[in-house]
Every structure is written in structure tokens, then in C-alpha cells.
Amino acid sequence: MLAVALAVLGYAIAGAIGGLVPRNPDWRAPADGVTIWVEDNGIHTGLVLPVRAAGIDWRGDFPARDLRDPRYADHGHVAVGWGERGFYLGTPTWWDVRPSTILRAALGSDDTLLHVEHIARPVAGPQVRAVTLRREEYRRLAAVVRGSRRRGAAVPGYAGYDVFYPASGRYDAVRTCNAWTGDALAAAGVRVGAWTPFPSTVMRWF
């Protein structure tokens, strides 16, 4: 048990340090551009993107027909997150989270999903941070999101407004859902932590 506790402590310390070291340290938000949001639900972080901006139109990627209730596709934004299939599908609420589910995901899985929610324009707050990107930065971010999806049929979501899609990439204790968010932002050119395994290591930058 002591060895496990030390390993967990070491992981937490490494994650905290990794989240303090910046990638793209010289980046600053422009005065005008495309507004996105970075959101945190306590365990997962994700990106909230306008449906149409800077030449990107998500309606073709995430069509209304994939939703249980296609009317939600009329909303102007999509929230996108990446994660391990068993964790996503097995935890519709945080009351459903089990230590065994977390452990299986942390040990590694190539079975990953994109979670897409069709939502209204967010309101910035402690758990939702607005970030302005240059048009070319937004297009780079969109390329990461599109590159994270694999071919395959949509998987029904928790409700009428959300859906899952097969994703590319391996999930493990190093590349978590939060690390995916950080990596996507870094690829766009945004200043963010070098390694962002936890929500706090993402959100502290915005």
C-alpha cells in the first residue's frame, strides 16, 4: 500500500509541475478573433467551439441526424471532449464512477471516444473560461479535433443533445482527457502547460 501511495503522490507532483511549465510561452490572446471556451466539470475538461467560424463548419462533422433529438443541432456551439470509452459510457453521472473504472482507464486503452454536446453559447465563469484565438489558431485547433476522430458509427449519448464518436489515440495515465485538451490548445499555438493531466493544470492558464 505504501508503494501505491508513493506512486500516486509522485504522479500528482509530476502533474502539478508539468502544468506549471508553459508551452507557447509568448502567446497572448488577440484583441479580436474567434472566441472559444475551455470548460471543466471537475474531472474532464473540454473545448466549446462555435458551430461556424473562420471557415470551419461543424455541421458536417457532427450532423443533426446523429442526435436522439436533432433539434439540439440548432444550437450555435459544440462542446468536444476526448476520453476512454469505458469511462465515458459507464459514468453517465459522477455517482457512477467506480475505482475499478478509473484504474482500467489509467492502465491504458486504445478504445477512445469523442464526446460532442450541442449547446447554447456558454456563460463564462469559474468552470468555463473564454479564450480568444486568431483565425489561423482556431483552424489549427479544428484540425486537431478532426484528427482525433476515427471512422465509425456514432454512439448514442446520455441525452438528446449529445453523442459519441469513435476516436483515435491511446488513453492512459499520461495522456488523459485533460492532457488531450492541453495538447489541442498547444497545437493551436495557445499558451498552456507542458503536461496537463488534471483539470486544474488546464484551467489555471485561462
Side-chain angles (χ1 to χ4, degrees):
M1 291 298 294
L2 178 59
V4 173
L6 289 174
V8 171
L9 178 61
Y11 177 74
I13 292 172
I17 293 172
L20 291 172
V21 178
R23 284 179 282 185
N24 305 315
D26 296 328
W27 180 84
R28 297 293 182 273
D32 295 301
V34 179
T35 299
I36 70 164
W37 290 261
V38 183
E39 62 175 5
D40 166 21
N41 70 1
I43 295 182
H44 292 294
T45 54
L47 304 167
V48 181
L49 313 173
V51 169
R52 288 180 289 175
I56 303 298
D57 189 336
W58 293 110
R59 292 175 299 178
D61 299 83
F62 311 130
R65 64 177 178 271
D66 291 341
L67 295 172
R68 290 179 181 173
D69 187 342
R71 292 175 296 178
Y72 283 102
D74 291 338
H75 284 316
H77 293 78
V78 289
V80 183
W82 175 93
E84 197 270 332
R85 175 185 287 261
F87 195 97
Y88 261 144
L89 298 183
T91 57
T93 72
W94 296 122
W95 295 106
D96 298 303
V97 175
R98 299 290 182 269
S100 59
T101 306
I102 297 173
L103 179 60
R104 282 196 302 271
L107 291 175
S109 172
D110 294 315
D111 197 359
T112 52
L113 295 171
L114 283 182
H115 186 210
V116 177
E117 302 170 88
H118 293 251
I119 62 173
R121 180 184 174 94
V123 177
Q127 305 305 116
V128 182
R129 311 286 173 79
V131 184
T132 302
L133 306 183
R134 296 165 181 84
R135 290 173 62 86
E136 61 271 21
E137 293 169 346
Y138 181 69
R139 286 192 285 265
R140 289 198 295 267
L141 183 67
V144 173
V145 173
R146 285 174 167 162
S148 296
R149 182 174 170 186
R150 274 192 302 115
R151 296 183 60 147
V155 178
Y158 304 134
Y161 59 85
D162 71 318
V163 63
F164 293 96
Y165 297 96
S168 60
R170 179 174 177 80
Y171 184 104
D172 56 31
V174 175
R175 191 163 195 256
T176 66
C177 55
N178 303 302
W180 178 86
T181 304
D183 288 345
L185 291 164
V190 176
R191 184 178 60 177
V192 69
W195 180 38
T196 58
F198 313 126
S200 60
T201 55
V202 176
M203 302 302 285
R204 71 175 306 275
W205 294 94
F206 307 106

